[in-house]
Amino acid sequence: MEKGKAINTVTNSLENLDLNSNSNPSRKITTNFQSSRLLEKKKTPTLVSLCLGVVGKHLEDVIEDLDEIAINFPADIKMAMAAMARRRRLLNDDVIISLADTSWEILDISGSDVSDFGLEKVVEICKSLRAVDISRCDKITTTGFSELVQNCHSIETLRCGGSPRSDYTTRRCLSIFKPKLNDVNGDSWEELDTMEISNGAESLRWLVWEKIDRDSLEILSTECPRITVNPKSSPFGFRGAAVPREALQGITLDDHVVKDIDPKTWAVCGFNPKTVSTSHSSPTELSVAEKFRLAFVERDTRLAPKRAKNARQHQRRAERELIMASTRAKAVALASQASKSLKSWN
């Protein structure tokens, strides 16, 4: 009897024994960690994010008065509105000029309708830009590239190309990236303007051009070794320098600006930030008329300093001819030279 009771007692004890008791704390920790992650994912949006979402959905209704509405907005709110306008295919010259702020350090107008005029006005306002994305901007030509380089002396990252026309324009702008002497035949060094002596994106370090052709890559590697094309993320950096987020491929420059805003704000337009043309970048994809137009614009921009110099030379020549034609003026000029000679002898 006693042996039977002992066996029953041991059996009940074994049945009540919880062999997984040691794993409960870790299971609780795991459960708590997963719960915290779910809470983070379902983080309650701020009132500012909700308001921006409402404004973004009805952005086309306020565009006409945007220059008056946005004048007192903080810089981050203006940037968020520009990002939403870009995603809704509403970003053009008027919108970006109305929203541009002097404190901006990044500018993302990729895939928009911004032209040379809008970019020129923006870079005149935003002098502290460090990273700029003008990829898939088919209305920006060599003139826009030149204005960007001349006005933004702190730019370190430039994202370009992405469409056949933008790739073609970027290829024609390679000379803008390197300093050079524009004019070596002037009358004297004192008469040369600053822009005639040198230009170039001296602060540019990272160039993101996804479909760069082999010739352009070779030119940049040989003549602009300080510029790194399409850098890749590495824990050890690149050439001793850490690759900034803005220079990494596959990212959208203004994503962090709208991370707290509901994507449904621009989903109505089917926005896809990674939409890139699958066709190979080649100048033959442009029409003959467009290639002639781009060539004329580039030539006109390149010869503008030369025309200004020739105009100054013609003006000085006309003044000399006027002096030689007038007897009185000639006498005054000879008397001035004689007085200078007497002073030098004394």
Side-chain angles (χ1 to χ4, degrees):
M1 294 291 293
E2 294 180 358
K3 185 182 292 186
K5 291 181 179 179
I7 292 174
N8 291 333
T9 303
V10 172
T11 302
N12 293 332
S13 300
L14 289 174
E15 290 178 354
N16 296 328
L17 180 63
D18 188 1
L19 297 177
N20 296 322
S21 59
N22 294 332
S23 61
N24 285 340
S26 61
R27 183 178 299 177
K28 290 181 180 179
I29 293 174
T30 304
T31 304
N32 292 336
F33 177 71
Q34 292 176 349
S35 301
S36 63
R37 292 192 63 181
L38 289 174
L39 289 175
E40 289 179 0
K41 291 182 179 180
K42 298 180 180 180
K43 183 180 178 181
T44 304
T46 62
L47 181 59
V48 174
S49 300
L50 292 174
C51 292
L52 284 174
V54 174
V55 173
K57 289 181 180 179
H58 305 280
L59 196 57
E60 65 276 8
D61 298 330
V62 299
I63 282 182
E64 294 183 359
D65 302 317
L66 193 58
D67 54 344
E68 298 179 2
I69 297 174
I71 190 170
N72 293 320
F73 283 174
D76 57 337
I77 301 298
K78 292 181 180 179
M79 187 175 293
M81 293 181 67
M84 290 188 295
R86 186 179 69 82
R87 285 161 169 77
R88 294 204 56 193
R89 302 287 192 265
L90 297 173
L91 191 61
N92 54 29
D93 290 345
D94 295 334
V95 174
I96 195 62
I97 292 173
S98 300
L99 295 174
D101 191 89
T102 55
S103 64
W104 280 7
E105 293 187 354
I106 68 168
L107 176 66
D108 191 344
I109 56 175
S110 57
S112 68
D113 292 328
V114 177
S115 66
D116 290 338
F117 174 77
L119 182 60
E120 178 182 355
K121 295 298 182 182
V122 170
V123 297
E124 288 177 358
I125 299 172
C126 310
K127 298 286 187 178
S128 303
L129 291 176
R130 295 184 298 101
V132 178
D133 190 345
I134 55 175
S135 58
R136 308 190 307 281
C137 289
D138 294 340
K139 293 186 178 181
I140 292 180
T141 65
T142 54
T143 303
F145 270 86
S146 180
E147 291 294 332
L148 175 63
V149 170
Q150 291 180 15
N151 287 278
C152 299
H153 303 291
S154 301
I155 185 171
E156 298 177 355
T157 304
L158 178 63
R159 306 173 70 92
C160 53
S163 67
R165 183 170 298 179
S166 184
D167 288 333
Y168 180 66
T169 302
T170 306
R171 279 193 293 272
R172 302 183 71 87
C173 294
L174 293 181
S175 58
I176 298 178
F177 297 146
K178 53 186 179 181
K180 66 178 182 178
L181 188 64
N182 287 335
D183 183 16
V184 294
N185 298 318
D187 292 344
S188 65
W189 285 99
E190 291 78 10
E191 294 177 357
L192 291 177
D193 294 334
T194 303
M195 70 173 296
E196 292 178 341
I197 294 176
S198 65
N199 64 5
E202 298 182 359
S203 62
L204 186 63
R205 293 294 178 269
W206 315 98
L207 181 67
V208 181
W209 184 2
E210 292 186 0
K211 292 189 176 182
I212 184 172
D213 58 285
R214 184 176 300 178
D215 293 337
S216 300
L217 181 60
E218 184 177 353
I219 291 174
L220 288 171
S221 302
T222 305
E223 303 184 23
C224 303
R226 73 178 187 281
I227 299 178
T228 303
V229 181
N230 296 332
K232 296 181 180 179
S233 178
S234 171
F236 306 103
F238 191 87
R239 294 180 183 176
V243 180
R245 172 191 171 275
E246 296 84 0
L248 298 176
Q249 298 187 58
I251 65 106
T252 305
L253 201 58
D254 58 3
D255 258 354
H256 69 284
V257 180
V258 294
K259 64 179 181 179
D260 295 330
I261 301 176
D262 188 359
K264 294 180 181 178
T265 300
W266 52 83
V268 291
C269 296
F271 176 77
N272 184 5
K274 302 304 176 188
T275 300
V276 181
S277 176
T278 57
S279 59
H280 296 286
S281 59
S282 173
T284 57
E285 297 181 10
L286 297 175
S287 64
V288 176
E290 180 63 17
K291 287 194 288 186
F292 271 105
R293 188 188 71 82
L294 292 173
F296 175 79
V297 171
E298 180 188 12
R299 180 179 179 274
D300 185 69
T301 304
R302 187 177 68 252
L303 295 180
K306 187 68 176 179
R307 287 198 300 269
K309 175 179 173 295
N310 290 337
R312 293 195 299 269
Q313 289 179 343
H314 288 316
Q315 183 179 1
R316 290 195 297 270
R317 190 176 295 113
E319 292 175 353
R320 286 196 296 268
E321 291 177 355
L322 179 63
I323 291 176
M324 297 302 295
S326 175
T327 306
R328 180 178 177 82
K330 185 176 180 179
V332 171
L334 292 174
S336 176
Q337 292 180 0
S339 62
K340 290 180 181 179
S341 298
L342 291 174
K343 289 181 180 179
S344 62
W345 288 346
N346 294 332

